[in-house]
Each structure stands twice: as structure tokens, then as C-alpha cells.
Amino acid sequence: MASEIWTIGKILKWTEDYFTQKGIESPRLDAEVLLGHVLHKQRIYLYVHFDEPLQPQELTAFREMIKQRIDHVPVAYILGEKEFMGLKFKVTPDTLVPRPDTEILVQAAVDNLRKSGQPEMRIADIGTGTGAVGLSVLHFVDDARLDTVDISPAARAVAEENAAALKLTDRAQFFTGDLLAPLKGSTYRAILSNPPYIPAADIEGLSADVQLSEPHTALDGGADGLDFYRRLCAEAPAMLERGGFMAFEVGIRQAQAVAGLAEKNPLIGRTEILKDYAGIDRVVVAWTKEA
């Protein structure tokens, strides 16, 4: 690769073809994102500088990224970061890569918290991973304070780094433990979670990127994918203020079941299901009774 002159256009075409041969799902996009990172340029720069030659050190760095990508290491892990809600989050193999559909959960939380108009609202993010959900809410809701929980100490450390990078450390606390256990005795305006929800038998059918790289403990939701929702719906309402809410991301065809679990709790007054960008039921919001 380094023995001849490689321009931006030429290396992108070669990489796209190579990724396609290796079964990479989005070959052109991945090639552009990786090369843009190496060159410290936006993707649009690549399109208007097709004839620009790459330097040997740039080719070397790009070659190493190509090797990782064909081993099905997700692009976000290669770069060490992922954009979410317009913010940059550090990601590692100890955390799931934040997905665009999870922005529906964040936006629902932001909208409902702003409507309440209450000062010093406390929120919790359960299974926080990178902290993308809870920290994004803090970024957009100035008077909120956040408690996060993750069972993985390594994931917690990543979330703390992201809080520091986003200058949100003074409004966030981080706990390591099992779901709501570390927060016992606390009360919240909102409890948010994007828990593991893949049925155990379906994990083998996930893409190679997910199967080989992302932490299975953040994916496996038990036999029917609902194990964590059962616990959250049983325990979380008692930790909410009157009129407070819990909001969960859910898997495909799980929304009605999760809403039903929430409605079985006598403290819940109403539920709502929100769709993602593809029109799939993706988020369940459940409010406690006002009185």
C-alpha cells in the first residue's frame, strides 16, 4: 500500500472494495470516517481533495485501522469515541456503542423534565455504560442532578471520564452495583435505563461487530429479553416522586410487554410508547400517580 502514491480518492475506493469483500456492512461510510479521523478532517474535506496524496505515516495509521475493522472491531471502538446527541463520548469495549435510536429516550426525558419546571430535579441512569443517556440529559437540562449506576467498574470509569470531558462532574455521581441497589433510600424525578434486552437465544444472530466486540453482559436480557424490565418496573416506581416518571429503551416487539409490566405496579398512573426514527416502538415512559 505504501509503495505507490495513494491519493484520498484512490485509498477510499480501495478500502471500500476491500471492506465489501470482507462483509463489512457500511464499507464506504466506514472508510470515510476512519480516513477522516487519520487526517483530522471532516468527511466533506475528502470529497473536495480526492487528488491529495497521503503521507507515509497517514497510510500506516490507516492500515492499522483497516486491520481492526476487518476483524469486526466497531468503528467507534477503533476511534475511541462516538457522537451522541451532538456530544462526543469516549467508548471502550467495556461499554456498548451509543446508538441513534437511544436519542429518543434522551429527548423524552429532556422534554418531560423541562415541562415539570421543578428546580434541582434528581434523575438516575441505570446501566449507564458510557453515561451517554444521563449525561446528555444533564447537558440539556441545567437544573438536573444525576446518579448513575453500572455493574461494571470499567464502564463506570468511562462514564466518569465522559462527565469530566463534558464538564458535568459537579452535577453527577457514579455508583457501581446491581440496578437500583446502590440508590436505595433515594428519590428521583426520573429514572432512565437502556438495559440489556436481547433474548439470550438471539445473541448468536446479531451482527459480527456486536457479537465479537460489544460486552454481552450489556446485551443479554434473559430468555425473553425482559428480565431487567421486570425488576425495574417492580422497584423503580417506589423511588419516584409523585408525578415522576421512568423511561426505558426497549427492543423490537417488546414495548407493549414492558408497558404492561409498568402498569401492573399500583404506583403507575399512565404509560406512553414512543417510536424511533424507523417507526418502531422504542421507548416506554411510565408516570407515577399525582396523588
Side-chain angles (χ1 to χ4, degrees):
M1 186 181 292
S3 61
E4 57 184 296
I5 297 176
W6 287 88
T7 63
I8 286 176
K10 184 176 181 180
I11 196 71
L12 283 177
K13 182 64 171 71
W14 183 91
T15 306
E16 179 184 7
D17 292 344
Y18 187 54
F19 280 173
T20 299
Q21 294 170 17
K22 297 297 182 179
I24 301 300
E25 291 183 1
S26 50
R28 180 68 180 197
L29 175 61
D30 290 1
E32 292 175 1
V33 171
L34 293 173
L35 186 58
H37 186 80
V38 167
L39 300 179
H40 306 289
K41 301 292 185 181
Q42 299 291 324
R43 286 170 57 207
I44 188 64
Y45 178 92
L46 307 180
Y47 281 93
V48 296
H49 294 82
F50 259 31
D51 295 331
E52 179 180 311
L54 273 69
Q55 301 302 310
Q57 65 272 22
E58 294 168 340
L59 282 169
T60 298
F62 189 57
R63 182 188 298 116
E64 292 305 311
M65 289 184 170
I66 290 173
K67 290 178 181 177
Q68 292 182 71
R69 189 66 190 101
I70 63 171
D71 284 337
H72 292 285
V73 177
V75 169
Y77 289 159
I78 298 172
L79 303 184
E81 64 184 27
K82 178 70 174 180
E83 184 173 302
F84 179 84
M85 294 295 295
L87 307 171
K88 281 189 177 180
F89 287 87
K90 175 180 178 177
V91 297
T92 77
D94 295 304
T95 67
L96 288 184
V97 177
R99 267 71 168 178
D101 287 337
T102 306
E103 294 183 353
I104 306 299
L105 171 61
V106 172
Q107 193 62 57
V110 169
D111 291 345
N112 280 285
L113 290 168
R114 285 176 173 172
K115 285 177 186 176
S116 74
Q118 296 186 11
E120 290 294 316
M121 293 175 289
R122 294 186 68 193
I123 64 175
D125 179 12
I126 309 303
T128 193
T130 61
V133 170
L135 294 174
S136 293
V137 174
L138 278 198
H139 177 81
F140 291 105
V141 183
D142 292 337
D143 52 354
R145 302 190 69 83
L146 170 70
D147 289 342
T148 80
V149 180
D150 203 288
I151 200 167
S152 164
R156 169 186 167 166
V158 173
E160 290 183 295
E161 287 188 52
N162 283 323
L166 295 169
K167 297 180 171 37
L168 295 171
T169 302
D170 60 334
R171 292 195 285 138
Q173 294 188 87
F174 301 86
F175 299 89
T176 302
D178 184 25
L179 290 185
L180 294 161
L183 308 181
K184 187 176 180 180
S186 300
T187 303
Y188 298 94
R189 185 65 189 174
I191 295 176
L192 315 174
S193 187
N194 178 17
Y197 58 67
I198 306 297
D202 292 351
I203 290 179
E204 290 185 2
L206 298 175
S207 70
D209 289 7
V210 175
Q211 278 196 65
L212 299 175
S213 299
E214 300 201 53
H216 283 204
T217 54
L219 299 169
D220 190 343
D224 61 358
L226 302 179
D227 282 3
F228 292 92
Y229 299 111
R230 291 188 180 91
R231 294 177 58 191
L232 289 167
C233 289
E235 300 170 18
M239 299 174 66
L240 290 170
E241 302 170 358
R242 288 183 176 180
F245 65 94
M246 54 187 188
F248 309 136
E249 179 173 333
V250 299
I252 295 175
R253 295 183 294 278
Q254 292 179 335
Q256 293 295 338
V258 174
L261 289 170
E263 290 162 0
K264 286 181 181 178
N265 192 302
L267 296 175
I268 295 298
R270 65 187 178 94
T271 62
E272 182 180 1
I273 295 173
L274 306 176
K275 296 184 182 298
D276 64 18
Y277 301 117
I280 297 169
D281 292 342
R282 184 60 64 185
V283 172
V284 174
V285 187
W287 288 266
T288 57
K289 295 174 182 177
E290 294 284 352

